[in-house]
Amino acid sequence: MVDLLTQYEKVQGEIDTAVLNVLRSSAYINGPEVKEFQKELESYLGVKHVIPCANGTDALQIAMMALGLQPGDEVITASFTYVATAEVIALLRLTPVLVDVDPNTFQIDPEKVKKAITPKTKAIVPVHLFGQCSDMEAIMKIAKEHNLFVVEDNAQAIGAEYIYSDGNRKKAGTIGTIGCTSFFPSKNLGCFGDGGAIFTNDDDLAGKLRMIANHGQSVQYVHDSIGVNSRLDSIQAAILRIKLRSLDNYCKARNKAADYYDKAFSSNSKITTPARAKNSTHVFHQYTLLLADGVDRNALREFLAAKGIPAMIYYPIALHMQKAYTDPRYKEGDFPVTENLCKRVISLPMHTELDEEQLKFITDAVNEFVR
Ligand SMILES: *Cc1c(COP(=O)(O)O)cnc(C)c1O
């Protein structure tokens, strides 16, 4: 699905040197590389504060903690997402309220968000799924009307731009109260281990987020709140500094592969290629097809696997159908768009190193099976 080795080999000299420098510096935690990466990411994103942390799940959890939400408060999020989004909400004893997604863009549906709001609602967590932005203008308008926080789960869309109706643009993750991302190796900006970051333009919140990520410590050995231990280590920061310089090129390479896929499937009536939202650029964390009713998805996966082509199902089971998240409020059929997507989506290899020969091999195989 990804080719991290080839990507590494293209910047191997720089990365090896940077990692060795960290090893020699012995500043393994909170070394200068972390601070430098923080500043460079702030400047890339055009956001006031970046708070590095240990992974994307922690980023979401620390964000929820910093907002001072109380057990029982309701947090609205998409029913079609990776489990981490709902997991941190539930872990903090907040109540995840799921809403269905748009059938074309797979992003949280603002009309359904409106309907899910109750007096207990405190926050909305849009997930910029597969690499493009949720409808942030609509979501921010709802949040303002109801005095809600917005935490953007930007683990899959770093580098994407939201395009406002007046043509203005902002980077994904810098629009809501707080933005969260992950540097897991297969993410669009991946390190060589775990990593994550939190973004905000709010000075007060930035202080709280930093404090919570560091054991709730305000001054050394003075703890003002209960926090967690969540750090980005210096080696990962050094690697991320180098890869950040290529992020826009990585996005371009992914778009080039996506364009090839789009064209190759354009005349296949049983395949719907990813819709491009008009209010967002796309950074193609995933390239996800929607198969027509009647196409045997498992057989397609096996057919591709026999040719050495991986394909994945993101996501096979909707959150409300997961054992850990069963809830008397929800039953099968409550999120028809999500349930339909879970049955019919399939994601093809998508990364920065796909060449035309590979793309032709993959698309020929898919078109041979799905006819
Ligand atoms: C990857 C991911 C996360 C979690 O990030 P980790 O770094 O793996 O903890 C959260 N939300 C979404 C949508 C993701 O894709």
Side-chain angles (χ1 to χ4, degrees):
M1 294 298 286
V2 294
D3 181 359
L4 300 175
L5 182 61
T6 309
Q7 196 193 52
Y8 160 58
E9 282 169 351
K10 289 187 175 163
V11 283
Q12 184 169 5
E14 277 176 280
I15 289 198
D16 291 3
T17 305
V19 170
L20 282 172
N21 284 343
V22 174
L23 297 187
R24 290 201 197 95
S25 77
S26 79
Y28 305 132
I29 295 289
N30 278 333
E33 295 286 348
V34 178
K35 190 82 196 168
E36 289 306 313
F37 171 62
Q38 174 199 316
K39 284 194 265 178
E40 286 160 8
L41 189 57
E42 283 164 356
S43 135
Y44 174 85
L45 293 170
V47 72
K48 235 169 142 185
H49 304 280
V50 163
I51 297 97
C53 66
N55 57 67
T57 309
D58 274 10
L60 287 164
Q61 180 180 332
I62 295 162
M64 300 289 166
M65 289 170 78
L67 294 174
L69 305 186
Q70 297 303 312
D73 286 349
E74 293 177 2
V75 178
I76 295 174
T77 194
S79 49
F80 190 56
T81 181
Y82 181 57
V83 68
T85 325
E87 184 177 47
V88 298
I89 299 169
L91 198 63
L92 294 171
R93 299 275 174 256
L94 310 171
T95 306
V97 173
L98 303 178
V99 308
D100 216 341
V101 295
D102 180 276
N104 299 310
T105 61
F106 310 164
Q107 306 297 327
I108 194 167
D109 183 335
E111 287 309 313
K112 291 175 185 154
V113 170
K114 274 187 207 163
K115 291 197 189 106
I117 292 173
T118 76
K120 287 187 180 167
T121 309
K122 292 287 155 50
I124 309 170
V125 184
V127 181
H128 302 315
L129 201 74
F130 297 161
Q132 58 186 346
C133 297
S134 300
D135 186 352
M136 288 307 290
E137 219 162 349
I139 290 163
M140 294 310 288
K141 184 161 174 269
I142 297 167
K144 199 167 170 206
E145 276 166 18
H146 297 270
N147 203 17
L148 308 174
F149 300 116
V150 175
V151 177
E152 299 174 69
D153 183 342
N154 193 34
Q156 300 189 0
I158 194 157
E161 284 184 328
Y162 183 76
I163 306 165
Y164 287 84
S165 40
D166 65 4
N168 267 338
R169 288 169 175 237
K170 266 192 195 168
K171 285 263 167 29
T174 68
I175 299 162
T177 324
I178 301 178
C180 297
T181 202
S182 163
F183 304 123
F184 186 78
S186 64
K187 300 285 157 108
N188 288 32
L189 178 61
C191 59
F192 294 177
D194 274 307
I198 311 162
F199 324 137
T200 187
N201 284 306
D202 181 316
D203 299 338
D204 271 356
L205 261 181
K208 279 190 195 147
L209 290 162
R210 230 174 260 293
M211 190 167 86
I212 291 168
N214 184 26
H215 297 290
Q217 176 173 285
S218 53
V219 179
Q220 198 171 27
Y221 303 123
V222 179
H223 302 273
D224 292 357
S225 66
I226 294 175
V228 295
N229 170 24
S230 190
R231 298 181 281 238
L232 179 71
D233 67 69
S234 305
I235 291 178
Q236 302 308 335
I239 292 164
L240 286 165
R241 287 186 69 194
I242 291 159
K243 291 186 75 179
L244 177 59
R245 290 180 219 141
S246 298
L247 181 56
D248 286 342
N249 283 335
Y250 291 161
C251 293
K252 276 188 204 136
R254 288 171 177 273
N255 269 280
K256 209 172 150 210
D259 289 343
Y260 188 103
Y261 278 142
D262 280 357
K263 231 193 233 150
F265 300 131
S266 62
S267 55
N268 190 324
S269 62
K270 293 192 174 167
I271 291 176
T272 307
T273 54
R276 315 287 184 100
K278 62 178 188 311
N279 51 10
S280 177
T281 64
H282 206 322
V283 294
F284 286 99
H285 176 61
Q286 297 298 343
Y287 186 89
T288 303
L289 300 176
L290 192 61
L291 301 172
D293 236 2
V295 177
D296 185 339
R297 186 173 63 174
N298 277 336
L300 170 61
R301 266 188 100 186
E302 280 165 23
F303 178 82
L304 295 174
K307 292 177 181 287
I309 302 168
M312 295 288 286
I313 311 301
Y314 304 118
Y315 298 93
I317 305 172
L319 279 175
H320 69 293
M321 301 305 292
Q322 297 280 2
K323 188 175 162 202
Y325 296 90
T326 48
D327 188 304
R329 290 173 300 156
Y330 302 131
K331 59 180 186 315
E332 190 167 3
D334 283 354
F335 303 96
V337 178
T338 295
E339 289 169 32
N340 184 46
L341 293 177
C342 289
K343 286 187 201 118
R344 289 170 43 199
V345 289
I346 187 163
S347 299
L348 298 179
M350 173 48 79
H351 54 83
T352 56
E353 311 304 320
L354 284 163
D355 60 31
E356 289 218 353
E357 195 185 334
Q358 292 170 316
L359 288 163
K360 184 171 189 317
F361 185 66
I362 296 165
T363 52
D364 283 351
V366 173
N367 281 327
E368 185 187 336
F369 186 89
V370 185
R371 293 194 291 165

